[in-house]
Amino acid sequence: MSVPSPHRAEKHRATRRRTTLSAFSLLCCSLVLTALPAGASAAPDPHTAASAASSRAAAAVAFADEFDGPAGSAVDGGKWQTETGDNVNNHERQYYTAGNSNAALDGQGNLVITARKENPGNYQCWYGTCEYTSSRLNTSGKFTSTYGHVESRMKIPRGQGIWPAFWMLGADIGDVGWPNSGEIDIMENVGFEPGTVHGTLHGPGYSGSAGIGAGYSLPGGQAFADDFHTFAVDWAPGSITWSVDGTVYQRRTPADLNGNAWVFDKPFFLILNLAVGGYWPGDPDGSTSFPQQLVVDYVRVTTGD
């Protein structure tokens, strides 16, 4: 796998932030916090998708958004908040907009997050006048969970410089900062790897490019953008297990952290975003078409046995 720019390892030491970001955004630096997973893939847990589904049958639904509603309407404000601004630390190129301009329901049971090559609001980014818009949503202050099965079915976009993600941050980030808050990346994809997604843990001593994780690739040269896929983690005390379409591809425990602290036994909140450019994916080029869309069928969190 490609090695990220050495600047990524120092990205969280940067102090230059845009004043247009909300107070929450200043604390939670989006995919500036995420990085190319380091180390070899962990051996999959032997349990099957069928047994996992069976165990969840009696589980309680802690959070669910099926994204039902009229076409063009915004997401449920009782479940999600929309962040705004740019992201200098990670050198992303987009401006995250408010409202339903870049995140709206399609009237067919999906949320569509759209990245466009445009700047209708004359937004200013760290590099000057912004070239792209997109959206980033989170459940901070609205929903957190400690443990459970966290899942989303989605169809990701494609193209050089395109960077969709479904992830979680520790709810105490405002008090302890990152990476002490912990971060669980359920799914990241960078456009130059159309057939591969990554799952990663970040915490104290294993953050940025030193994150602990692995990638999962589709067989036969398939691309994730060609169809919907289900991305999930099964999160329990002392363990987190990743799967794609029910196939487990890695399991992590405190034993994987080289003596560093396991910071994943506390409440976390959810994040969905679609970034354009950045240290890891690189910037869009002449091969990248716009608009690009992250289409989300649902997000669900179940807890209990």
Side-chain angles (χ1 to χ4, degrees):
M1 65 180 61
S2 301
V3 177
S5 162
H7 296 293
R8 285 189 57 82
E10 299 179 0
K11 61 188 175 301
H12 222 73
R13 289 194 280 272
T15 57
R16 183 182 174 194
R17 307 287 182 94
R18 295 298 301 177
T19 57
T20 51
L21 286 171
S22 66
F24 173 80
S25 297
L26 292 175
L27 292 170
C28 169
C29 299
S30 184
L31 295 183
V32 62
L33 307 183
T34 62
L36 186 66
S41 300
D45 188 283
H47 77 266
T48 65
S51 64
S54 176
S55 68
R56 292 195 298 273
V61 176
F63 177 92
D65 199 335
E66 307 296 326
F67 302 114
D68 294 324
S73 57
V75 292
D76 185 345
K79 297 178 178 179
W80 302 94
Q81 64 172 321
T82 304
E83 296 180 54
T84 61
D86 66 347
N87 193 330
V88 56
N89 286 31
N90 203 37
H91 278 203
E92 297 171 15
R93 311 293 293 189
Q94 82 292 320
Y95 186 94
Y96 289 126
T97 67
N100 61 354
S101 297
N102 294 82
L105 307 185
D106 67 357
Q108 302 178 44
N110 301 305
L111 163 67
V112 181
I113 297 179
T114 304
R116 298 186 178 93
K117 188 172 184 178
E118 64 169 14
N119 188 350
N122 195 32
Y123 305 118
Q124 297 302 300
C125 287
W126 60 268
Y127 56 89
T129 302
C130 304
E131 299 172 352
Y132 307 91
T133 61
S134 190
S135 185
R136 171 173 153 172
L137 311 172
N138 71 69
T139 67
S140 178
K142 300 175 183 294
F143 170 77
T144 63
S145 183
T146 304
Y147 313 131
H149 179 83
V150 185
E151 175 178 299
S152 180
R153 181 175 182 266
M154 60 181 70
K155 185 176 182 180
I156 69 171
R158 69 175 77 235
Q160 169 58 38
I162 305 300
W163 190 0
F166 174 42
W167 51 300
M168 298 190 286
L169 278 172
D172 59 355
I173 188 169
D175 297 321
V176 304
W178 185 93
N180 292 329
S181 61
E183 176 180 336
I184 304 169
D185 297 327
I186 303 169
M187 185 286 298
E188 290 184 278
N189 169 264
V190 284
F192 59 79
E193 295 179 330
T196 301
V197 294
H198 298 272
T200 316
L201 294 181
H202 299 272
Y206 50 101
S207 61
S209 59
I212 304 297
Y216 175 87
S217 296
L218 291 171
Q222 299 176 62
F224 276 99
D226 290 336
D227 205 348
F228 282 87
H229 294 274
T230 302
F231 307 98
V233 292
D234 285 285
W235 174 26
S239 73
I240 301 174
T241 302
W242 284 256
S243 63
V244 175
D245 297 328
T247 299
V248 171
Y249 70 96
Q250 70 167 329
R251 180 175 181 267
R252 297 295 178 179
T253 72
D256 293 304
L257 304 185
N258 301 313
N260 292 305
W262 177 267
V263 291
F264 306 102
D265 295 321
K266 60 184 180 183
F268 276 64
F269 59 87
L270 308 172
I271 307 170
L272 282 168
N273 74 290
L274 175 55
V276 179
Y279 284 129
W280 185 12
D283 291 339
D285 61 22
S287 70
T288 313
S289 63
F290 287 92
Q292 288 293 329
Q293 295 183 327
L294 172 62
V295 184
V296 186
D297 181 14
Y298 63 77
V299 174
R300 299 171 186 159
V301 180
T302 54
T303 59
D305 297 324

